Amino acid sequence: MNFSDLGLSDQLLKAIEKANYESPYPIQIQGIPAVLSGKDVLGIAPTGSGKTASYILPILQVLQKKEETIGRSVPVLVLVPTRELASQVAMVAEEFSRFLDRKVKSFAVFGGVSINPQMKKLNRTDILIATPGRLLDLLSRNALSLSNVEILVLDEMDKVLNMGFKEEVDQILSQLPKKRQNILYSATQDENIEDVIKKLLKNPVSISLQPESIGVDQINQYAYRVSPEKKGPFLRHLISSKGWSQVLVFVSSIRTADNVVGKLNKNGIEAVAFHGDKSQGARTEALSRFKSGKTKVLVATDLAARGIDIKFLPVVINYELPRSPKDYVHRIGRTGRAGAEGEAISLITEEELHHFKVIQKKMKKRVQLLNSEDLDF
Ligand code: AMP
């Protein structure tokens, strides 16, 4: 299957080629025609599966044929849970719009930065990518109108709900016209999501892609037994001895993130923390330095577990396990992106052993457990 079999214009095909996408991923093979059909779409797909292009490409195809947007009445709204994902989706949309005859403007709005510059730039936006809180803020200031939205995308809806945005989303939905196309993506399908699906989607085309089928298999996973007091020295040993170009370390709390960074820095390993207690500016800076390879070690909470796309990341280390097995899959999915190989290493204490077994059972994959004491550190 080629991208040219999916009903996309030559201009889009040219941009796809420039992005070095050789052939469509399964989610794109299913998603692109589904979105183009104009029907509602339900996609159960984790990040890393290529879901962004699966909805952005057909949306651009539809927009190409439409008159240019005037004023502040957006035709396409993409709701996302986090600021990072908002920026990322906007970048993908811009990348694929570059050869289109009709200029398509994509614009991301999110909180944590001042609202005035965003208000000024909203004019003539075709694809608005927004986090719920900031969008409501903008609406309450009459900075834009949703009355002409033709396509609504809810991306990572499970995360939107987990972050407690249900009420905000309901308020936003109440401002949309009844007749529109709804596209909903979620990594999981639990009761909360079922509720939203039932209310929102009419006879959707369903696409389902389980995490196991998209790459967990190509990630080389293993774990080390280690005592709590040895975790820090062992992490430093791994980082200094393995020769990785970059490492993403996951911890379960903001405090541990700061502690681990402090210890690494003290021992001459340059590391930066990424968590919800940092300002938006600091988060953006930390992430962009890491993405560009300027920072070697990023120590993050689960804020970085989903949706964030870091190309060519060789390894993810779970310094502590996440509570949910799903988050484990999301975390390790930061490596092994876009067909590349990756490693995921978990540091397991006696106390975490049982939970780690539960994770493996849920993931339907056994992870080899090694003894850290066999390594000389
Ligand atoms: P996403 O799930 O949308 O975050 O995409 C995950 C990663 O896969 C991103 O780095 C994309 O640039 C990349 N990607 C998406 N589709 C393709 C494709 N058909 N070929 C190669 N890379 C892709």
Side-chain angles (χ1 to χ4, degrees):
M1 173 71 76
N2 293 313
F3 275 107
S4 54
D5 302 322
L6 294 173
L8 299 171
S9 71
D10 288 346
Q11 289 95 330
L12 284 172
L13 292 176
K14 192 170 160 194
I16 290 168
E17 198 187 323
K18 281 270 184 239
N20 287 326
Y21 286 15
E22 273 178 24
S23 50
Y25 286 170
I27 184 98
Q28 293 154 359
I29 294 174
Q30 299 179 59
I32 292 173
V35 174
L36 284 177
S37 75
K39 292 187 183 149
D40 282 357
V41 177
L42 168 64
I44 302 299
T47 58
S49 54
K51 68 179 167 55
T52 318
S54 80
Y55 67 79
I56 285 293
L57 286 168
I59 285 175
L60 291 173
Q61 173 80 14
V62 171
L63 280 173
Q64 269 179 120
K65 297 184 190 138
K66 287 195 179 296
E67 304 254 308
E68 293 204 2
T69 304
I70 43 170
R72 288 161 176 262
S73 197
V74 295
V76 179
L77 173 65
V78 182
L79 273 185
V80 295
T82 62
R83 306 144 182 194
E84 286 76 20
L85 185 59
S87 308
Q88 208 165 283
V89 172
M91 265 161 50
V92 173
E94 260 166 44
E95 183 173 18
F96 288 127
S97 312
R98 54 209 271 221
F99 300 115
L100 301 183
D101 296 332
R102 170 215 193 283
K103 196 177 165 322
V104 171
K105 177 173 167 186
S106 306
F107 186 49
V109 293
F110 41 79
V113 293
S114 99
I115 197 165
N116 284 338
Q118 292 180 348
M119 283 171 68
K120 285 194 189 125
K121 286 193 202 144
L122 274 170
N123 217 13
R124 290 177 165 265
T125 298
D126 296 295
I127 305 178
L128 183 72
I129 303 120
T131 53
R134 177 52 58 100
L135 180 59
L136 279 178
D137 229 355
L138 288 162
L139 287 166
S140 72
R141 292 165 194 237
N142 290 324
L144 80 153
S145 153
L146 299 181
S147 59
N148 283 333
V149 169
E150 292 168 36
I151 304 179
L152 168 73
V153 181
L154 297 163
D155 197 353
E156 296 196 4
M157 191 57 190
D158 50 344
K159 189 155 189 211
V160 172
L161 295 180
N162 287 342
M163 287 172 79
F165 284 135
K166 171 95 178 65
E167 230 169 81
E168 281 87 343
V169 172
D170 284 342
Q171 280 180 47
I172 291 165
L173 293 180
S174 72
Q175 301 203 27
L176 294 170
K178 286 228 159 55
K179 192 170 167 306
R180 59 171 198 261
Q181 181 180 16
N182 299 297
I183 300 164
L184 186 150
Y185 277 91
S186 170
T188 51
Q189 195 170 3
D190 57 18
E191 272 170 34
N192 293 337
I193 285 285
E194 286 292 348
D195 217 34
V196 178
I197 292 170
K198 263 191 226 133
K199 281 198 194 126
L200 201 72
L201 305 181
K202 285 182 215 91
N203 301 322
V205 181
S206 290
I207 303 166
S208 177
L209 216 74
Q210 293 313 312
E212 293 94 304
S213 66
I214 60 106
V216 169
D217 279 340
Q218 79 206 26
I219 298 167
N220 179 18
Q221 297 184 56
Y222 52 101
Y224 284 105
R225 282 286 291 273
V226 57
S227 61
E229 62 284 359
K230 289 262 179 77
K231 266 195 181 179
F234 187 59
L235 175 70
R236 297 198 288 278
H237 168 75
L238 285 176
I239 294 174
S240 345
S241 65
K242 292 277 189 179
W244 296 309
S245 55
Q246 280 194 302
V247 184
L248 176 58
V249 180
F250 278 107
V251 294
S252 51
S253 74
I254 291 171
R255 189 132 65 93
T256 316
D258 288 335
N259 279 343
V260 170
V261 164
K263 290 258 171 59
L264 288 172
N265 287 338
K266 227 167 109 190
N267 284 276
I269 299 171
E270 197 221 325
V272 174
F274 181 89
H275 54 60
D277 226 18
K278 299 251 170 197
S279 71
Q280 181 54 32
R283 275 160 61 178
T284 308
E285 160 101 8
L287 202 61
S288 81
R289 284 182 66 83
F290 190 63
K291 280 186 177 188
S292 66
K294 289 191 188 109
T295 304
K296 178 163 171 170
V297 183
L298 191 71
V299 182
T301 58
D302 280 301
L303 191 61
R306 289 185 186 214
I308 292 176
D309 181 28
I310 304 156
K311 281 213 171 85
F312 312 120
L313 177 65
V315 62
V316 165
I317 297 182
N318 288 312
Y319 187 84
E320 292 163 326
L321 288 176
R323 251 193 295 150
S324 124
K326 280 171 200 144
D327 282 339
Y328 175 89
V329 173
H330 286 298
R331 282 182 179 189
I332 68 168
R334 297 312 95 208
T335 180
R337 309 275 291 168
E341 283 193 0
E343 261 181 276
I345 302 174
S346 301
L347 309 191
I348 309 291
T349 59
E350 181 75 42
E351 213 177 294
E352 288 170 304
L353 205 54
H354 173 71
H355 185 49
F356 192 49
K357 284 193 182 134
V358 173
I359 288 177
Q360 293 174 65
K361 210 167 154 200
K362 281 263 153 66
M363 185 172 54
K364 299 195 187 85
K365 204 168 159 88
R366 235 181 69 90
V367 178
Q368 193 185 8
L369 189 61
L370 307 163
N371 199 340
S372 64
E373 284 170 13
D374 293 342
L375 298 183
D376 200 13
F377 72 98

